[in-house]
């Protein structure tokens, strides 16, 4: 559950496979609570773009990873080319300047825009923000014609670009 107000419960640790319920003693008295979302939730974003294709990258570190998707014409959607001639669009870019751990990067082609042919999905380790070293990532790929998400995971190190997957739209 969440409220429009929050209150810190302190630091807790527990081992995997266990859970803890935190219940305030008097939920009706929220005068000492803080208005809005707790910082640990990150900023509130609008919905990510969807359509014929949606590709979403997430990671949990203060490191700037970039999502790249190359369309059948050979044009790549990424931070420096956020809209392609084929309609590919980067609508979320999680950079060091506006870094929120856990916020995704998202590339999509609106319904009816995706070209037939092969698409290539890559993750690029652009640089460090407040952390350095390898970082684990997760990429979700939704292809409307298949009606299901494909999920890929990996770990990337500084200076690397990794191919995640290739898929074909018919």
């Amino acid at each position: 559950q969440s409220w429009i107000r929050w209150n810190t419960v302190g630091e807790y640790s527990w081992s995997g496979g266990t859970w803890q319920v935190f219940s305030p003693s008097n939920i009706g008295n929220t005068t000492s609570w803080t208005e809005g979302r707790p910082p640990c939730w990150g900023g509130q974003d609008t919905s990510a773009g969807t359509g014929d294709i949606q590709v979403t990258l997430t990671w949990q570190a203060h490191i700037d990873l970039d999502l790249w998707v190359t369309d059948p014409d050979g044009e790549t959607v990424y931070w420096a080319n956020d809209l392609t001639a084929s309609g590919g669009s980067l609508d979320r870019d999680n950079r060091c300047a506006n870094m929120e751990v856990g916020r995704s990067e998202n590339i999509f082609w609106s319904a009816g825009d995706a070209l037939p042919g092969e698409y290539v999905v890559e993750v690029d380790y652009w640089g460090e923000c407040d952390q350095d070293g390898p970082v684990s990532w997760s990429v979700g790929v939704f292809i409307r014609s298949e009606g299901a998400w494909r999920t890929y995971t990996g770990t990337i190190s500084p200076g690397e670009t990794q191919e995640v997957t290739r898929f074909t739209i018919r």
Side-chain angles (χ1 to χ4, degrees):
Q1 290 181 324
S2 62
W3 296 270
I4 60 167
R5 293 179 175 271
W6 62 278
N7 198 10
T8 190
V9 293
E11 274 191 43
Y12 290 85
S13 62
W14 53 90
S15 58
T18 63
W19 56 279
Q20 177 69 46
V21 174
F22 298 98
S23 300
S25 58
N26 182 357
I27 193 66
N29 180 8
T30 60
T31 56
S32 67
W33 292 40
T34 302
E35 186 81 29
R37 295 165 54 92
C40 62
W41 287 7
Q44 190 167 4
D45 283 337
T46 59
S47 296
T50 63
D52 286 341
I53 299 169
Q54 180 181 356
V55 183
T56 305
L57 166 67
T58 57
W59 67 100
Q60 300 293 322
H62 282 272
I63 292 172
D64 189 347
L65 297 186
D66 286 320
L67 179 61
W68 298 354
V69 181
T70 303
D71 68 19
D73 285 344
E75 188 175 6
T76 302
V77 183
Y78 69 113
W79 64 269
N81 188 36
D82 60 0
L83 183 61
T84 65
S86 69
S89 178
L90 171 70
D91 66 337
R92 288 191 178 180
D93 186 11
N94 198 9
R95 301 171 293 173
C96 288
N98 67 351
M99 175 62 60
E100 289 185 29
V101 173
R103 188 175 69 190
S104 62
E105 294 210 350
N106 190 70
I107 293 175
F108 72 102
W109 276 259
S110 296
D113 284 349
L115 297 173
E118 185 178 64
Y119 291 76
V120 179
V121 178
E122 297 173 286
V123 174
D124 179 64
Y125 192 117
W126 193 87
E128 292 84 15
C129 300
D130 298 332
Q131 290 178 269
D132 62 1
V135 62
S136 298
W137 52 262
S138 176
V139 170
V141 177
F142 182 79
I143 302 168
R144 182 182 300 274
S145 62
E146 294 178 0
W149 280 92
R150 301 176 187 178
T151 303
Y152 306 88
T153 59
T155 301
I156 192 167
S157 295
E160 286 186 332
T161 300
Q162 295 177 350
E163 183 174 311
V164 175
T165 188
R166 292 173 180 253
F167 60 88
T168 301
I169 299 294
R170 303 204 188 284

